[in-house]
Amino acid sequence: MSARNPGISLDLEWVSQVRVNTQAVLRRAQHYQALKVPKERWQAAWLLKAVTFIDLTTLSGDDTPSNVHRLCLKAIQPVRRDLLHKMNVQREEVTTAAVCVYPARVADAVAAIKAANACLPVASVATGFPAGQTPLETRVEEVVQAVADGATEIDIVINRNLALTGQWEALYQELCQFRSACADAHMKTILAVGDLDTFTTVYKASLVSMMAGSDFIKTSTGKEAVNATFPVAIVMARAIRDYYLSTGHRVGFKPAGGIRTAQESLLWLALIKEELGSDWLSPHLFRIGASSLLADIERQIYHHVTGHYASYQELPMA
């Protein structure tokens, strides 16, 4: 991860002045939707880069130590060794950015990565994920326990009611408590944009989250009806850029929910490069929250290497 965002004092005047031009955002989003992705070897290279941005995730009610163990092994070796060999890429160069699990599975993930003699961040959702409706004390304790179990990144959810009703000081204070509970772990703040009412609210929530010390801002839990979309990504990226220009502190961005195809992942990389610059095309500042995306990327890489498409059964877990 990059240097921590220390946060700043809550600037309500800055927040109150925010206005987002909805039509301009939608026009910009159409630009990204119309982009053509790179072809042939350039596409394969960018797809390998996209793999390194993935937070490989399992957030299911039936998660067990065994399926978390398999997830970790896949994160360590996300693309088959023979495919990497034919592309002249060392296996150590390509891992996912992290694995992301529920708090109860953090210790399992840490143990699996240690047993594989690997070094990979373990992220945990927390603070009453996905709704964030449990008591504040419970949400804080959940962060503390996840960190104690070995999580080095915490994906927290905001209290959407505070954002929807404009209680920005209360939201800021809650996030500061979560930031303190994270200790040395990086805090990735989920806005759950599908539950927010306007682009202006999304921007304000982004700004307050960064002021409170969030190291990343993240679109969604993946459980809302609407998750990561280009319009909300543009709004959040502009907030990140404005915060950086004002404070000098870089904050990362993580779209999550609904990103399933290799082609989509390349469009997201293009958006980040254009909106925030090449410095953000690093796992330290950009992540993709996904569970099924990796399978399609590996399928496209298989096609690049062999000239034909494999069934998913031909792409076993590493």
Side-chain angles (χ1 to χ4, degrees):
M1 276 278 191
S2 61
R4 302 296 301 276
N5 167 32
I8 62 173
S9 298
L10 178 64
D11 187 342
L12 288 175
E13 182 177 358
W14 185 0
V15 175
S16 67
Q17 292 175 350
V18 170
R19 300 290 185 276
V20 175
N21 185 326
T22 297
Q23 292 306 312
V25 169
L26 295 177
R27 285 194 299 271
R28 186 64 174 167
Q30 289 175 345
H31 161 73
Y32 292 114
Q33 291 166 336
L35 287 178
K36 294 183 179 179
V37 299
K39 299 296 183 181
E40 303 300 332
R41 62 191 181 93
W42 296 111
Q43 182 179 94
W46 278 104
L47 287 176
L48 284 180
K49 191 172 185 66
V51 169
T52 68
F53 298 138
I54 294 175
D55 280 357
L56 196 59
T57 303
T58 181
L59 297 171
S60 301
D62 59 354
D63 283 342
T64 63
S66 60
N67 78 290
V68 168
H69 180 77
R70 290 193 299 272
L71 183 86
C72 292
L73 294 183
K74 187 61 178 175
I76 295 165
Q77 181 67 63
V79 180
R80 275 175 27 181
R81 297 181 187 183
D82 61 318
L83 300 179
L84 293 176
H85 178 71
K86 290 179 179 179
M87 296 175 69
N88 295 316
V89 176
Q90 298 296 317
R91 56 169 294 199
E92 295 82 6
E93 297 176 13
V94 183
T95 69
T96 67
V99 295
C100 183
V101 296
Y102 275 120
R105 300 271 73 90
V106 168
D108 298 327
V110 171
I113 292 169
K114 183 177 180 180
N117 197 29
C119 182
L120 194 71
V122 174
S124 174
V125 296
T127 65
F129 180 95
Q133 292 292 329
T134 52
L136 178 58
E137 295 79 5
T138 303
R139 285 180 279 153
V140 171
E141 179 56 34
E142 194 172 38
V143 175
V144 171
Q145 188 60 55
V147 172
D149 286 344
T152 56
E153 302 175 10
I154 304 294
D155 290 30
I156 65 101
V157 293
I158 68 166
N159 183 332
R160 274 80 101 187
N161 173 63
L162 297 179
L164 289 167
T165 56
Q167 299 182 65
W168 301 116
E169 186 168 0
L171 178 60
Y172 176 84
Q173 294 299 335
E174 281 199 2
L175 292 174
C176 285
Q177 289 191 56
F178 299 151
R179 175 67 156 78
S180 178
C182 283
D184 292 333
H186 283 67
M187 186 169 84
K188 291 142 76 181
T189 298
I190 307 170
L191 304 186
V193 293
D195 290 344
L196 303 183
D197 52 355
T198 67
F199 290 149
T200 296
T201 302
V202 170
Y203 188 107
K204 289 182 176 182
S206 300
L207 196 54
V208 172
S209 297
M210 293 185 287
M211 290 176 178
S214 299
D215 299 295
F216 266 72
I217 53 174
K218 175 179 171 181
T219 60
S220 319
T221 67
K223 309 295 185 181
E224 294 84 46
V226 177
N227 295 289
T229 66
F230 289 151
V232 295
I234 291 166
V235 172
M236 294 171 70
R238 298 288 173 87
I240 289 171
R241 186 178 65 188
D242 292 346
Y243 181 80
Y244 170 65
L245 292 174
S246 178
T247 68
H249 304 312
R250 288 185 171 90
V251 173
F253 175 65
K254 178 179 174 179
I259 304 173
R260 297 186 177 89
T261 70
Q263 182 166 343
E264 285 179 282
S265 71
L266 295 179
L267 294 178
W268 280 100
L269 267 62
L271 183 151
I272 292 304
K273 189 175 188 301
E274 287 198 21
E275 294 294 328
L276 291 171
S278 298
D279 286 349
W280 263 262
L281 282 179
S282 159
H284 299 304
L285 289 169
F286 179 59
R287 300 288 181 84
I288 301 173
S291 54
S292 59
L293 171 63
L294 181 56
D296 192 55
I297 290 179
E298 191 172 14
R299 187 166 176 260
Q300 297 300 325
I301 291 172
Y302 183 94
H303 176 261
H304 169 75
V305 171
T306 67
H308 68 272
Y309 285 105
S311 67
Y312 287 106
Q313 288 75 23
E314 292 178 88
L315 295 171
M317 299 286 276

